[in-house]
């Protein structure tokens, strides 16, 4: 099958033919219908998140189950599934506590060998998935069946960006009706946070990015204000918009840099909550004034995969899409072929797209 492999830091992905392993007893084979190209793929490609080369990238996909191992119980052939980039085993302590985003089986699933390249070397798959391929052999814990006619290009987005962002608002922060929300970064995940805040009933949603490109798309998704970081200090601009109080909930959805986190903390109101949604560099640190933390009683939260229980939330987000309360169609900027995946990284770096989605493998 054809797949796009990460072979060296900074280099283009290699599109090549590989031989996947046959599904083990608890594995399933999924034919991919759509795969989003996410910023986290770029973070591995450019070395921000160090990973061993020899890996099919891609972790945001949807498709159809075409084969199952003998002991598989969670899905069957013909099921429409969305891939979960953190497995949900259903039996570990986090899973039993409704926190499948912290599932203990994550590392084991991620490290599994998934097949052989033409030169005989083995390969792994990003997060145990590898959606930049015609098909993927995955642990049954890594897929969630959904029942819907929502098109696959939109379902794929639920696998990462949408669940991360909407979940950050609904699960991690639990945005309350009437809240003031600020979101730093209006890429695919940031716009999903924005939609989550809108669904939660926030009265004011301040979208923040650099430049004017994201003004139209963020306001079309429900932002009530847009702050251009190139037109002055974003913290000062948010303070001005909120009568000097700051926002109840601030989401940092860029790359988790110390500067962005300091801005997020700075624009959080007294007693408010700041949520770091982005995937930061592994060696990153963030310094805050301990006196300010005491005095202002702010809450700082990490957010992994939107604190999602995927077996509950994937269908929930599908239902919100079917009823028009979640707009995923607007987030698909381009349909591309697998061969164009390297160009999609360029488009992402030039900030031309919310999401490029591979729909032809
Ligand atoms: Zn992602
Ligand atoms: Zn688990």
């Amino acid at each position: 099958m054809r797949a796009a492999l990460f072979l060296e830091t900074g280099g283009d992905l290699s599109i090549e033919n590989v031989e996947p392993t046959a599904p083990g007893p608890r594995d399933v084979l999924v034919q991919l219908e759509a795969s989003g190209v996410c910023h986290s793929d770029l973070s591995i490609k450019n070395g921000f998140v160090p990973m061993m080369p020899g890996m099919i990238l891609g972790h945001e996909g949807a498709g159809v189950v075409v084969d199952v191992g003998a002991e598989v119980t969670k899905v069957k052939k013909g099921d429409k599934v969305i891939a979960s980039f953190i497995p949900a085993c259903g039996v570990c302590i986090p899973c039993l506590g409704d926190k499948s985003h912290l599932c203990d089986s994550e590392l084991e699933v991620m490290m599994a060998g998934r097949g052989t390249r033409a030169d005989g070397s083995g390969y792994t798959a990003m997060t145990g998935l590898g959606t930049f391929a015609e098909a993927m052999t995955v642990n049954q814990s890594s897929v969630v069946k959904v029942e819907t006619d929502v098109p696959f290009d939109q379902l794929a987005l639920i696998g990462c960006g949408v669940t991360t962002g909407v979940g950050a608002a609904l699960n991690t922060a639990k945005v309350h009706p009437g809240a003031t929300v600020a979101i730093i970064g209006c890429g695919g995940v940031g716009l999903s946070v924005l939609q989550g805040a809108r669904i939660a009933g926030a009265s004011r949603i301040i979208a923040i990015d650099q430049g004017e490109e994201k003004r139209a798309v963020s306001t079309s998704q429900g932002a009530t204000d847009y702050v251009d970081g190139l037109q002055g200090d974003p913290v000062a601009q948010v303070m001005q918009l909120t009568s000097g109080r700051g926002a109840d909930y601030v989401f940092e959805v860029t790359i988790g840099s110390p500067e962005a986190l300091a801005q997020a903390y700075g624009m959080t109101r007294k007693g408010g909550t700041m949520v770091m949604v982005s995937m930061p560099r592994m060696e990153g640190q963030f310094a805050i004034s301990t006196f300010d933390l005491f005095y202002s009683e702010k809450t700082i939260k990490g957010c992994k995969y939107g604190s999602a229980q995927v077996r509950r939330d994937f269908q929930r987000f599908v239902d919100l899409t079917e009823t028009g309360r979640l707009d995923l169609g607007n987030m698909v900027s381009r349909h591309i072929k697998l061969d164009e995946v390297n160009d999609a990284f360029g488009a992402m770096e030039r900030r031309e797209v919310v999401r490029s989605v591979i729909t032809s493998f």
Side-chain angles (χ1 to χ4, degrees):
M1 70 170 188
R2 279 157 44 77
L5 276 85
F6 162 67
L7 297 180
E8 57 168 333
T9 300
D12 277 354
L13 301 191
S14 168
I15 319 286
E16 54 187 68
N17 275 305
V18 295
E19 187 62 44
T21 48
R26 292 176 194 169
D27 291 336
V28 301
L29 180 64
V30 177
Q31 181 185 311
L32 284 153
E33 298 290 341
S35 170
V37 181
C38 172
H39 204 276
S40 303
D41 300 302
L42 178 62
S43 292
I44 290 178
K45 177 181 175 296
N46 65 18
F48 266 48
V49 176
M51 287 280 171
M52 284 286 287
M55 174 189 279
I56 300 179
L57 292 193
H59 59 284
E60 185 179 83
V64 176
V65 175
V66 291
D67 198 6
V68 298
E71 297 170 22
V72 166
T73 54
K74 295 185 197 301
V75 290
K76 60 183 188 312
K77 271 192 216 180
D79 281 352
K80 199 176 273 190
V81 291
I82 300 174
S84 172
F85 77 77
I86 298 171
C89 77
V91 294
C92 71
I93 287 173
C95 277
L96 291 170
D98 220 18
K99 294 182 183 296
S100 74
H101 62 294
L102 302 175
C103 178
D104 286 341
S105 74
E106 181 179 13
L107 267 185
E108 180 193 335
V109 167
M110 268 177 63
M111 303 306 287
R114 284 302 177 196
T116 316
R117 298 177 60 212
D119 65 2
S121 62
Y123 65 82
T124 58
M126 181 177 178
T127 70
L129 297 177
T131 60
F132 294 170
E134 287 175 66
M136 56 182 187
T137 301
V138 298
N139 189 289
Q140 63 171 341
S141 299
S142 299
V143 291
V144 175
K145 178 187 176 183
V146 289
E147 294 182 1
T148 181
D149 291 323
V150 170
F152 279 109
D153 59 345
Q154 297 181 33
L155 293 180
L157 304 188
I158 292 176
C160 177
V162 167
T163 293
T164 300
V166 178
L170 298 184
N171 297 330
T172 314
K174 296 186 169 64
V175 170
H176 63 269
T180 296
V181 172
I183 300 151
I184 305 176
C186 296
V189 179
L191 291 172
S192 299
V193 175
L194 199 162
Q195 294 209 54
R198 188 192 69 222
I199 290 165
S203 61
R204 191 152 199 192
I205 304 174
I206 304 167
I208 305 159
D209 209 307
Q210 293 192 339
E212 285 298 308
E213 292 94 336
K214 297 290 170 65
R215 181 185 291 274
V217 68
S218 58
T219 49
S220 77
Q221 299 286 1
T224 55
D225 302 270
Y226 180 80
V227 163
D228 177 357
L230 298 180
Q231 301 298 320
D233 177 18
V235 178
Q237 294 188 68
V238 170
M239 285 300 170
Q240 193 174 20
L241 285 168
T242 55
S243 307
R245 286 194 295 272
D248 296 306
Y249 303 95
V250 179
F251 297 86
E252 189 280 321
V253 203
T254 56
I255 52 168
S257 68
E259 297 76 19
L261 291 168
Q263 286 177 352
Y265 185 81
M267 65 178 72
T268 303
R269 74 157 168 79
K270 282 192 289 185
T273 300
M274 165 197 156
V275 184
M276 188 189 78
V277 186
S278 53
M279 186 166 81
R281 294 187 81 125
M282 213 169 258
E283 70 277 18
Q285 299 282 327
F286 166 46
I288 51 167
S289 154
T290 48
F291 181 78
D292 187 78
L293 183 63
F294 156 75
Y295 189 74
S296 64
E297 206 184 59
K298 296 179 186 180
T299 299
I300 301 172
K301 282 191 161 185
C303 171
K304 185 183 179 201
Y305 208 3
S307 310
Q309 162 51 273
V310 292
R311 297 195 190 282
R312 170 197 66 200
D313 285 338
F314 279 4
Q315 187 66 46
R316 180 158 74 129
F317 299 153
V318 164
D319 293 347
L320 285 165
T321 306
E322 284 184 339
T323 53
R325 299 192 66 205
L326 185 57
D327 174 7
L328 302 190
N330 217 2
M331 296 177 62
V332 179
S333 314
R334 288 177 190 169
H335 293 111
I336 63 166
K337 298 178 182 148
L338 181 63
D339 300 279
E340 296 167 321
V341 67
N342 289 304
D343 303 330
F345 288 125
M348 184 188 294
E349 287 178 307
R350 292 189 299 274
R351 308 161 69 80
E352 293 170 3
V353 292
V354 175
R355 268 293 192 273
S356 299
V357 180
I358 302 167
T359 48
S360 171
F361 295 88

